[in-house]
Amino acid sequence: KGEAADAAGFTVVMKFGGSSVSSAARMREMADLILSFPEERPVVVLSAMGKTTNNLLLAGEKAVSCGAPKASEINELAVIKELHLRTIDELGLDSSIVSGFLDELEQLLKGVAMMKELTLRTRDYLVSFGECMSTRIFAAYLNKLGKKARQYDAFDLGFITTDDFTNADILEATYPAVAKRLHGDWIDDPAIPVVTGFLGKGWKSCAVTTLGRGGSDLTATTIGKALGLREIQVWKDVDGVLTCDPNIYANAVPVPYLTFDEAAELAYFGAQVLHPQSMRPAREGGIPVRVKNSYNRHAPGTVITKTRDMRKVCYVTVSVYSDSSM
């Protein structure tokens, strides 16, 4: 695996969620974070900016009932336009990076309003605008900084999925297709790949699909397995997988080591950091997943592996809450 990764020039996958790229300031910090690890040659996977996915879905739902003439007046559309154009302006980039997408988005909403119907297939296509724009902005910003980057839409990179719109699954053909494309492009013209999370292409319909809950993490682990990398990094807004919900117990601490089975069990009991399905490719490929904090980049985070040295046990405090009225 290591030799294959070196030949391709990649060492890790770095996946960043929506809160990590929610503004121009956050994108600057993410670029600085990536460049602060010069020993790494990452494949970067991004979610849509901030609340963009939710706003796209709300815009689609409103378009169904508002009528075509009023589709361009939907508030969520205005919020999406303002966020992306402001971010581009603050980063000193050209608005043409996203202007075509914003125009197409408005036309799509008018079409939904005219048909008074939002199918699952159209819903997936609508949602894809978020990742398509965030990755183009971030790749352009890295290039402006002098760090060569290349943007990829996952549905053109080789992510082949079932045709289960809104909850598609990765098909086995994805792995060699993604590896071939990324290897080939690196050999021809080395650049940091910036890939849309959450998206794929249905193998029968050839339409854009989304991967459901934990979809961007699944994108990252799929790339890690395809390239046989040494580690997959999932950057969140917490210091790792915590012992409990910090909103409930303020003294929650990160667990340094977990197995995939333990991480799945924590998810079953309500942990929101990782979805077990998104970890499947990493588990199959035997590739560690490291959960790190994009707001605290040098914290070690949580490393999730198939097995772990039981001498590295994390002893934690279990708090029992009682209700005196019971």
Side-chain angles (χ1 to χ4, degrees):
K1 289 180 182 176
E3 291 178 3
D6 289 341
F10 307 120
T11 57
V12 298
V13 177
M14 290 183 171
K15 180 265 174 178
F16 297 97
S19 65
S20 296
V21 289
S22 58
S23 65
R26 291 299 295 153
M27 285 201 177
R28 288 192 193 97
E29 290 177 27
M30 292 310 95
D32 181 69
L33 185 155
I34 291 168
L35 299 179
S36 72
F37 295 98
E39 72 281 3
E40 302 288 16
R41 296 186 297 280
V43 178
V44 177
V45 174
L46 298 185
S47 297
M49 292 184 67
K51 302 296 183 181
T52 297
T53 300
N54 288 340
N55 282 327
L56 285 165
L57 290 171
L58 282 171
E61 291 167 6
K62 287 186 177 181
V64 173
S65 58
C66 77
K70 293 188 176 181
S72 59
E73 301 172 11
I74 293 173
N75 180 63
E76 285 76 14
L77 174 61
V79 170
I80 291 166
K81 286 183 174 181
E82 195 275 333
L83 171 63
H84 289 82
L85 291 174
R86 183 181 75 245
T87 300
I88 281 177
D89 181 62
E90 291 177 1
L91 293 175
L93 303 173
D94 195 311
S95 63
S96 63
I97 295 169
V98 299
S99 58
F101 285 94
L102 293 174
D103 290 343
E104 186 179 349
L105 172 59
E106 184 172 336
Q107 292 304 312
L108 177 59
L109 290 173
K110 287 181 178 179
V112 169
M114 186 176 297
M115 297 299 294
K116 298 188 182 303
E117 182 181 39
L118 182 63
T119 65
L120 295 181
R121 176 172 176 158
T122 303
R123 180 184 164 115
D124 275 2
Y125 182 52
L126 176 66
V127 165
S128 73
F129 281 79
E131 279 77 10
C132 287
M133 289 192 290
S134 67
T135 49
R136 281 168 172 80
I137 294 171
F138 192 68
Y141 183 61
L142 287 177
N143 281 312
K144 182 187 176 186
L145 294 178
K147 191 67 175 178
K148 192 165 187 178
R150 183 181 297 113
Q151 189 274 348
Y152 292 91
D153 293 324
F155 46 80
D156 288 332
L157 178 59
F159 274 76
I160 305 163
T161 74
T162 61
D163 289 285
D164 301 311
F165 295 107
T166 74
N167 193 32
D169 197 9
I170 298 292
L171 296 181
E172 198 65 28
T174 295
Y175 299 106
V178 168
K180 181 179 179 180
R181 177 72 182 277
L182 289 177
H183 281 309
D185 286 358
W186 178 270
I187 291 169
D188 291 341
D189 185 15
I192 294 176
V194 181
V195 183
T196 58
F198 191 47
L199 308 177
K201 178 185 285 187
W203 75 285
K204 288 182 179 178
S205 65
C206 292
V208 175
T209 57
T210 62
L211 303 178
R213 187 178 171 192
S216 290
D217 292 343
L218 178 56
T219 303
T221 56
T222 298
I223 292 173
K225 179 184 174 183
L227 297 176
L229 303 185
R230 64 169 178 78
E231 184 173 277
I232 298 156
Q233 297 175 358
V234 179
W235 292 80
K236 304 280 187 177
D237 55 3
V238 290
D239 279 346
V241 179
L242 303 181
T243 50
C244 65
D245 187 340
N247 294 317
I248 297 174
Y249 181 59
N251 293 327
V253 295
V255 182
Y257 303 97
L258 284 173
T259 65
F260 287 109
D261 285 338
E262 289 167 337
E265 188 170 353
L266 285 172
Y268 176 79
F269 284 106
Q272 299 295 311
V273 176
L274 296 170
H275 191 272
Q277 189 72 3
S278 69
M279 297 295 103
R280 191 184 70 238
R283 182 174 190 158
E284 293 170 351
I287 301 171
V289 174
R290 187 183 297 269
V291 181
K292 290 177 68 71
N293 189 350
S294 63
Y295 294 85
N296 184 16
R297 68 185 68 178
H298 295 296
T302 298
V303 180
I304 306 172
T305 53
K306 269 192 174 182
T307 59
R308 64 184 172 93
D309 186 343
M310 293 307 293
R311 290 172 296 182
K312 297 178 179 178
V313 175
C314 176
Y315 293 95
V316 299
T317 300
V318 177
S319 296
V320 178
Y321 296 89
S322 63
D323 187 338
S324 58
S325 65
M326 293 179 67

